[in-house]
Amino acid sequence: MEKRIFSPWKWQDERSYVQAVEVKNNVGTLYCSGQAAIDSTGISSSADMKSQLQQAIANLEEVITSAGYECEGIVRLNIYTTSMEELWPHFPILQEWIAKHKIKQALTAMEVNILFETLKVELEATVVK
């Protein structure tokens, strides 16, 4: 797989994403449903934003690796949250995970009115290999 990134500016580097990703000669593409803080029995978390973000990251990583892909192959990441204000102080947690896996992805983050049940944050990814 060939993966090229495009960022005509530098300001997005501090926010751990790129402006565009081109993929050529890939073997497969994995479209992940939004992963949130739901435990292995299907119970939605009512914990704080930090805990929910950590669980959503862990769940996303589990889906990706269970499917035989690697987190480094993430080319698109969408973040949905019920509160950007609440999420922003914990954004470094996501940035550390991105850096750990050497992920270079296009990213969209958006605030929504409500997520399923008690959830505060959801991560949706497209992964290639």
Side-chain angles (χ1 to χ4, degrees):
M1 181 241 334
E2 288 178 59
K3 182 176 170 182
R4 290 192 323 155
I5 60 169
F6 300 92
S7 291
W9 312 285
K10 295 291 179 200
W11 57 262
Q12 72 281 323
D13 297 349
E14 292 178 19
R15 297 177 181 153
S16 302
Y17 71 95
V18 299
Q19 295 297 330
V21 179
E22 176 185 46
V23 177
K24 293 181 179 180
N25 305 317
N26 63 314
V27 176
T29 304
L30 181 69
Y31 300 92
C32 300
S33 291
Q35 297 301 308
I38 299 176
D39 70 19
S40 61
T41 65
I43 305 296
S44 296
S45 173
S46 58
D48 63 10
M49 181 67 80
K50 179 181 179 183
S51 298
Q52 287 202 23
L53 177 60
Q54 291 168 324
Q55 184 64 56
I57 291 168
N59 287 352
L60 180 60
E61 188 166 342
E62 177 69 23
V63 167
I64 291 168
T65 57
S66 293
Y69 285 72
E70 295 179 13
C71 294
E72 186 176 359
I74 294 173
V75 295
R76 179 92 179 135
L77 182 64
N78 294 327
I79 303 169
Y80 305 95
T81 181
T82 55
S83 172
M84 272 305 185
E85 185 177 340
E86 215 179 320
L87 176 64
W88 190 245
H90 307 296
F91 200 73
I93 294 168
L94 185 63
Q95 289 180 297
E96 289 169 16
W97 180 75
I98 288 168
K100 173 184 163 188
H101 292 286
K102 300 177 183 136
I103 303 168
K104 297 290 184 187
Q105 82 294 340
L107 183 138
T108 298
M110 64 190 85
E111 186 171 299
V112 297
N113 287 333
I114 192 168
L115 290 170
F116 184 68
E117 296 181 336
T118 56
L119 300 172
K120 297 175 182 247
V121 63
E122 191 167 323
L123 305 175
E124 176 185 66
T126 303
V127 191
V128 297
K129 67 175 172 180

